[in-house]
Amino acid sequence: MEGEIALAEPVTCTMVKPDGKRVPNPPPRRREVGVIDRFELYGPEDRRRFSATEAVALLQDPRRGGAYLVELFEFPPPQRAQWAQLPVRKRHLFESFESALRTLQYGLVVERLEETNLITPLLSVRLLADRPLRVSLAIEPTEETVENAPVQGRRGASLIDLRPERHAALLEILTTQTLVKSIGVAPLLKQASVGEPPPERPARLRIPDRPPNGRFPLIGVIDGGIADVLAPWVVGRWGLLAPDDRDLDHGTFIAGLLVAGSALNGAQVCAENDGCELVDIDVMPREDDPGVFAAYYPDGLKQLLEELENAVLACKQRYGVRVFCFSFNEDQVISAVTQGALAQHFDAMAETTGAIFVLSVGNLDGIERNEWDRDPLNAIRQLAMPRGDETVLRPAESTRNVAVGAVNPPGLLNSVADAPARYTRRGLRVGTGVKPEFAHYGGSGTTCPRRDSGLFSINSAGQVVAQAGTSYAVPLVAKTLACLDAAIEEDVPRETLLALLVHSARVRDPLTNRMFTGISRWLVGFGQLPSSDAMLAGDDYEITLLFHGVLHEGKAMRFPFRWPQSLVGPEQKCRGIARMTLVYSPPLDALYGAERVRVNLDARLQQDVGDGHWAGRAKETFLDTEEGASANEQNLIEHGLKWNPVKTYQTPAMRGKGASSTWQIAVDYVTRSLTAFPERGVPFTLIVTIRDHQDEIPIFDEVRRELGDIGVQLAPIQATVRARTRLG
């Protein structure tokens, strides 16, 4: 680190703007060093922020499996024979840590969680009253010893040792070990629904039959099970839970929205056509008895993660499902520094399978805001006075997947349509990019006398009921995502599906008021979605180009083109507007925490200004800088979404820009220090839309002809998503 800092340029350069004003323009290394505030030694207070008494109180719930999740700076080699080949200092670090743990003598069980580049070195550490000592830093079984361990269990689960003095001794050992990075209590997972469902309405839904030859979207519902009332649409089941241990109402409400949401709520709320093939993945036991969860997952989160991975891999292979709903949240908010184990595993599964998981941001249980005020100033004041920690819950911080918040449905007497629901959580301002990515109708948190929550589906008995929660916004986004996947003939990359969603999302009233600029992002992300049909359609006043490729080391994408001639005026001045969306899958390394994204891709829309120079005309959507100005590193990360794998850009409405109709689209990259660019490259999708902002001149056919003349092969997105690009 000291050597890298010493390489930073000693002088901050300046640049001259078109108006002659000089502004700072530091070189890359100096910009990186300048963002560092201070260095501090890592201490015990960085490893643990709770007492033994607080830990024991949390671990009394058997759903936690009695486990601490201990993050290490580095895992020992998996085979003990490899330890002898390590440098003496490192071998001593591992051996002394293991020896310190063994001083507890009995009941301590230490196990490694899965190790990949996407998952931090995590240990599951438990104190049990009916188990011998087992410290498994290596993968081979280690010697076990038993000393005064009581033998008693409940429903096949181990008896958790809840003696405070034992936990105090364990935490003291862990807190003082150099190898330990952080210590946390294993999380609880809860449904992201609000309160109890109201009584059913006096109606039953007739479930439509599934035509044998129809083509429908396919979605995996990871929940407590789907009732038989929807059996005609269930094409596959994982089937882990016994009938008495399933909670069918939550999963059936979600599945009902997927199958018949439009019939129940209208196209304004559920824009996709009814019908959806379902894969029922019942791995989440009912919540009313914590002992049920402990019976299936006596080791807590560790076993749940293993079951999730087995289920997702099997269902992907058997049924071809690639879009999954997961409407559960941990009881822990996301962090700007670390990523939770569940989010890491969702990232790893997405990379392994090409699947996309649609996650909920969680609810403000017990600390709900007042309903959104119709007066923007009052709404701002309300947001400025949170009642508690309103940050989104894990695993919404997943890097490879998307999280969804909730907005109020239309047509309710006592809540504002399309305003953030009073229970929906909001994103963390620093270091997490855009969370949530989207918002959808999740039902109002205040019951309307005429229409309850405003969001209807069915319970396990097939009765129509109303519900609310971010749980129920999730399937509506997942449905649009799966409809896109079904509508496009090719097996499109996951980056393309996500880019189409982001590119089509829009922030709606009331958040379009200027008072909410810079705030709406933390509540609804990129916005709300139209139907998949609307995403794939366009009009004559615009043209959309989609580029998908793999960027390799030392390369950049360059796509030269001419601005639509109908939008070029005297002296080659160009008018119109342009929007771009970039989605890419960078290499991740969980060991770096907040800096786990190791390669940053950026897109540019540039106009030729002569002498081989190009001027950027589109800026990052959330970055508030003047044209030509250079933002500092902190602003680039927080508002320019640097290191975020999803970026959006836009131009202002151009009424006569530059003096050339020659433009180019470019994608290039930068890596973090000491990071090798992956040999396989970085896959990306870039979508660019050019439009006459006055909706007067039809440019679609004109641009299509011009691109055809230079050899670019174009086809509707439903048939193909490839555009020919030049890398160099």
Side-chain angles (χ1 to χ4, degrees):
M1 177 64 72
E2 183 178 354
E4 290 295 311
I5 292 176
L7 293 174
E9 299 84 352
V11 178
T12 296
C13 303
T14 60
M15 66 176 293
V16 180
K17 294 174 57 178
D19 61 2
K21 183 179 178 181
R22 302 186 71 87
V23 296
N25 184 32
R29 285 187 180 273
R30 184 170 180 84
R31 186 182 299 125
E32 294 283 349
V33 171
V35 79
I36 299 173
D37 182 34
R38 64 185 181 276
F39 289 98
E40 293 180 351
L41 292 176
Y42 207 79
E45 65 280 359
D46 298 306
R47 298 186 174 95
R48 172 167 62 99
R49 300 183 184 275
F50 55 88
S51 68
T53 301
E54 292 169 332
V56 169
L58 292 172
L59 292 173
Q60 287 178 348
D61 191 317
R63 290 174 292 181
R64 299 186 192 271
Y68 296 99
L69 294 182
V70 179
E71 182 182 353
L72 306 180
F73 282 103
E74 182 181 0
F75 252 154
Q79 308 299 323
R80 188 166 294 275
Q82 297 172 310
W83 290 26
Q85 303 170 15
L86 297 172
V88 173
R89 182 176 297 179
K90 181 168 288 191
R91 185 173 70 248
H92 176 72
L93 182 68
F94 298 146
E95 291 174 345
S96 62
F97 177 53
E98 187 175 60
S99 297
L101 292 173
R102 288 181 175 276
T103 61
L104 289 173
Q105 297 184 336
Y106 70 87
L108 178 68
V109 176
V110 179
E111 300 171 296
R112 297 163 65 120
L113 272 67
E114 180 183 358
E115 178 186 12
T116 74
N117 210 42
L118 302 182
I119 301 173
T120 53
L122 282 173
L123 297 176
S124 170
V125 178
R126 295 182 294 150
L127 282 172
L128 304 176
D130 60 348
R131 293 285 185 91
L133 176 75
R134 191 177 73 201
V135 178
S136 302
L137 295 187
I139 288 187
E140 302 101 340
T142 57
E143 183 181 355
E144 297 182 350
T145 60
V146 180
E147 206 172 293
N148 301 325
V151 179
Q152 186 177 358
R154 181 180 184 275
R155 303 190 62 174
S158 297
L159 185 65
I160 301 168
D161 189 337
L162 294 174
R163 288 175 291 174
E165 64 274 14
R166 291 276 289 165
H167 285 265
L170 171 61
L171 290 173
E172 179 63 23
I173 291 171
L174 294 172
T175 304
T176 56
Q177 290 296 308
T178 306
L179 187 61
V180 173
K181 184 176 182 180
S182 68
I183 308 162
V185 176
L188 279 182
L189 282 167
K190 298 180 65 177
Q191 298 172 359
S193 54
V194 176
E196 295 296 323
E200 66 273 8
R201 298 168 68 83
R204 293 178 66 88
L205 175 68
R206 181 190 176 279
I207 304 301
D209 295 329
R210 180 166 64 94
N213 299 320
R215 184 176 184 181
F216 296 96
L218 174 64
I219 296 177
V221 180
I222 304 173
D223 213 284
I226 299 172
D228 288 340
V229 66
L230 290 170
W233 292 93
V234 176
V235 298
R237 295 186 188 273
W238 180 244
L240 172 71
L241 304 178
D244 290 344
D245 297 332
R246 306 173 89 201
D247 173 12
L248 296 177
D249 282 338
H250 188 255
T252 303
F253 193 99
I254 287 170
L257 288 171
L258 293 171
V259 171
S262 185
L264 287 163
N265 299 279
Q268 189 176 0
V269 173
C270 300
E272 302 298 340
N273 294 330
D274 282 340
C276 183
E277 295 180 338
L278 307 169
V279 177
D280 180 8
I281 305 172
D282 63 341
V283 296
M284 305 300 296
R286 58 190 175 92
E287 295 183 352
D288 58 346
D289 181 358
V292 176
F293 186 94
Y296 284 93
Y297 308 111
D299 295 344
L301 184 64
K302 178 179 184 295
Q303 285 179 312
L304 175 62
L305 293 175
E306 292 170 352
E307 189 64 36
L308 273 173
E309 290 176 6
N310 291 337
V312 168
L313 287 171
C315 292
K316 180 72 167 60
Q317 292 172 356
R318 293 175 191 172
Y319 312 113
V321 60
R322 67 183 305 196
V323 178
F324 295 85
C325 292
F326 188 78
S327 292
F328 290 78
N329 292 98
E330 301 178 20
D331 61 342
Q332 300 173 0
V333 300
I334 66 171
S335 164
V337 179
T338 61
Q339 191 181 28
L342 186 54
Q344 293 180 45
H345 277 74
F346 277 129
D347 282 345
M349 288 188 289
E351 181 164 291
T352 301
T353 65
I356 301 173
F357 297 88
V358 186
L359 312 170
S360 57
V361 300
N363 303 325
L364 294 169
D365 297 326
I367 57 171
E368 294 92 343
R369 297 179 292 267
N370 294 330
E371 280 293 342
W372 190 270
D373 200 296
R374 297 181 186 276
D375 183 327
L377 186 57
N378 288 338
I380 289 284
R381 289 169 178 162
Q382 178 182 321
L383 290 173
M385 295 184 294
R387 301 185 178 208
D389 192 340
E390 298 185 5
T391 306
V392 304
L393 298 176
R394 291 175 167 173
E397 79 274 34
S398 172
T399 304
R400 296 260 194 254
N401 301 291
V402 296
V404 181
V407 293
N408 294 325
L412 302 180
L413 297 176
N414 47 9
S415 60
V416 178
D418 295 304
R422 60 181 303 199
Y423 53 80
T424 194
R425 288 180 169 268
R426 50 183 171 181
L428 191 64
R429 290 186 63 88
V430 180
T432 54
V434 176
K435 289 293 177 182
E437 280 85 358
F438 308 109
H440 216 303
Y441 299 118
S444 171
T446 302
T447 301
C448 172
R450 289 192 318 186
R451 290 182 47 78
D452 297 309
S453 73
L455 186 68
F456 299 97
S457 187
I458 57 173
N459 62 15
S460 57
Q463 298 158 324
V464 177
V465 295
Q467 267 283 26
T470 53
S471 276
Y472 311 121
V474 165
L476 302 183
V477 171
K479 178 73 175 285
T480 297
L481 185 61
C483 285
L484 279 176
D485 193 29
I488 301 173
E489 294 178 7
E490 294 188 359
D491 185 13
V492 299
R494 60 189 310 279
E495 296 87 11
T496 296
L497 293 177
L498 291 176
L500 286 167
L501 253 65
V502 173
H503 197 70
S504 303
R506 295 290 183 275
V507 176
R508 300 180 185 174
D509 288 335
L511 289 173
T512 54
N513 188 292
R514 288 188 176 182
M515 287 190 181
F516 301 113
T517 301
I519 295 176
S520 63
R521 164 184 164 191
W522 314 109
L523 293 162
V524 299
F526 295 107
Q528 295 172 242
L529 299 173
S531 69
S532 56
D533 287 341
M535 291 182 187
L536 297 174
D539 60 44
D540 290 339
Y541 305 111
E542 68 177 25
I543 188 165
T544 296
L545 304 177
L546 189 152
F547 305 84
H548 174 72
V550 178
L551 205 63
H552 291 279
E553 184 175 13
K555 301 292 184 180
M557 188 197 90
R558 297 284 186 269
F559 182 79
F561 70 100
R562 296 186 67 80
W563 198 255
Q565 290 303 297
S566 297
L567 300 180
V568 178
E571 300 178 354
Q572 296 295 293
K573 292 186 177 296
C574 301
R575 66 184 183 90
I577 56 175
R579 295 183 298 109
M580 301 195 299
T581 297
L582 175 67
V583 176
Y584 61 101
S585 294
L588 305 178
D589 194 331
L591 282 173
Y592 290 92
E595 297 184 351
R596 57 185 170 271
V597 175
R598 306 306 295 167
V599 174
N600 179 68
L601 263 60
D602 212 347
R604 307 183 194 284
L605 179 64
Q606 300 171 317
Q607 185 179 21
D608 185 5
V609 292
D611 298 327
H613 292 89
W614 300 85
R617 298 306 188 200
K619 72 177 186 66
E620 294 85 346
T621 302
F622 304 111
L623 187 62
D624 186 18
T625 58
E626 297 179 8
E627 183 179 331
S630 177
N632 61 39
E633 189 70 7
Q634 181 177 350
N635 284 333
L636 286 173
I637 292 172
E638 183 174 350
H639 302 297
L641 303 185
K642 186 176 182 180
W643 307 110
N644 192 63
V646 180
K647 296 180 173 69
T648 58
Y649 312 79
Q650 61 186 19
T651 68
M654 297 181 292
R655 293 173 173 82
K657 198 71 176 178
S660 172
S661 61
T662 301
W663 291 62
Q664 73 172 3
I665 298 163
V667 176
D668 51 24
Y669 72 90
V670 63
T671 62
R672 294 196 190 265
S673 297
L674 308 179
T675 296
F677 200 90
E679 289 185 11
R680 62 178 177 82
V682 176
F684 72 92
T685 291
L686 176 67
I687 302 178
V688 183
T689 296
I690 300 171
R691 185 178 184 91
D692 174 17
H693 63 284
Q694 296 178 332
D695 291 349
E696 294 177 348
I697 301 176
I699 64 171
F700 179 82
D701 288 333
E702 172 191 336
V703 177
R704 185 174 59 177
R705 285 194 303 271
E706 289 187 3
L707 291 175
D709 290 343
I710 62 174
V712 177
Q713 298 175 354
L714 299 176
I717 181 65
Q718 292 93 329
T720 181
V721 296
R722 294 192 177 95
R724 181 178 296 172
T725 62
R726 179 169 60 87
L727 297 178

